[in-house]
Amino acid sequence: MPFNKLNDSIKESLARLAMETPTPFQQQVISKIKSGGHVFGIAPSGSGKTTAMIINAIQKLNAQAKGNAPRALFIVKNKKEAQELHQKCLAFTKYTDLRVYMGYEELHLDIQKSEIYLGVDILISTPKNIQKLFFQNGASTSQLSFFAIDDAHLLIERQELAAIRIISEGIKKCQYVIMTEKLTPKLERLQDFFMVNASRVQL
């Protein structure tokens, strides 16, 4: 899928970042995610997985802020990954009014709850942190339409994957996207929980 078929604000950000054409992986995966189904994106580092994930989330949200509850959720391994993803999201949402928020375990939960309460469209968090937020009514799943896991191969701990499964149980209807360098048996088993009939795009 060429970039010229994306939302104008996304194209503006891509132009500012000097990204003229999609990578071979993005060419395949962006259109597949845009179709609305669950997707496993499997490709090596540098293939553009994270950018594809961000682009599709913005596209899904029509590049517009709406309501107060998160509508897109990005799960990452740790604080460092959350900070890096947050910066990338800010770069791509520069020409929108989308509100991006980052949470992680080292940040006091009450601070996160009060700041999320003010309104968030895209929420970035670690598995354990987001589980605590949802269990303590710090963030709502009622409006989620896009749930993505970045670098999912790094989430190998049983507790991390269990937290993600538990979160998914409280979500009514949502598109799930898993970006990973390799599809491990543990990640494949997520198909039984919330990735039913998922497509695979592999480079």
Side-chain angles (χ1 to χ4, degrees):
M1 177 180 173
F3 287 152
N4 60 13
K5 294 185 178 180
L6 297 170
N7 183 282
D8 286 342
S9 64
I10 300 175
K11 289 189 288 185
E12 196 170 354
S13 291
L14 287 166
R16 185 177 60 85
L17 297 169
M19 300 176 66
E20 298 179 356
T21 58
T23 65
F25 175 72
Q26 291 170 345
Q27 185 76 34
Q28 299 178 58
V29 79
I30 290 176
S31 58
K32 185 65 70 172
I33 299 173
K34 193 171 181 286
S35 68
H38 307 319
V39 176
F40 282 105
I42 310 155
S45 177
S47 302
K49 298 187 297 295
T50 300
T51 296
M53 180 186 75
I54 294 170
I55 285 174
N56 278 106
I58 297 172
Q59 186 80 20
K60 183 93 171 181
L61 304 185
N62 295 317
Q64 294 180 340
K66 181 180 178 182
N68 291 317
R71 294 181 290 143
L73 174 62
F74 293 158
I75 297 294
V76 292
K77 170 70 175 176
N78 52 35
K79 175 183 176 180
K80 180 176 180 291
E81 299 289 331
Q83 291 172 328
E84 291 176 356
L85 182 55
H86 185 246
Q87 289 302 312
K88 290 179 181 178
C89 282
L90 292 180
F92 278 96
T93 56
K94 181 178 178 64
Y95 301 109
T96 76
D97 60 355
L98 289 171
R99 299 155 297 178
V100 183
Y101 186 79
M102 165 188 59
Y104 43 84
E105 289 158 74
E106 294 88 342
L107 183 60
H108 198 287
L109 203 64
D110 286 341
I111 293 175
Q112 295 183 60
K113 290 167 67 174
S114 61
E115 292 178 340
I116 291 171
Y117 178 78
L118 298 175
V120 173
D121 297 293
I122 298 174
L123 177 59
I124 302 167
S125 182
T126 60
K128 294 177 183 177
N129 184 69
I130 197 65
Q131 185 179 19
K132 290 178 182 177
L133 275 172
F134 286 149
F135 281 172
Q136 296 191 30
N137 297 317
S140 171
T141 63
S142 63
Q143 300 302 311
L144 277 182
S145 61
F146 191 86
F147 187 133
I149 306 173
D150 198 24
D151 287 331
H153 57 283
L154 299 178
L155 300 173
I156 57 176
E157 294 181 19
R158 181 177 298 176
Q159 288 181 332
E160 292 172 329
L161 294 178
I164 292 170
R165 291 199 300 267
I166 291 170
I167 294 165
S168 70
E169 292 173 358
I171 301 173
K172 294 180 180 179
K173 186 177 181 181
C174 192
Q175 180 183 18
Y176 292 89
V177 174
I178 292 180
M179 294 294 189
T180 182
E181 289 187 14
K182 56 183 178 180
L183 190 57
T184 66
K186 286 183 179 180
L187 290 177
E188 283 190 286
R189 286 199 289 273
L190 294 180
Q191 293 182 97
D192 298 331
F193 295 93
F194 53 80
M195 294 290 287
V196 179
N197 297 322
S199 301
R200 297 189 186 187
V201 178
Q202 187 162 8
L203 189 64

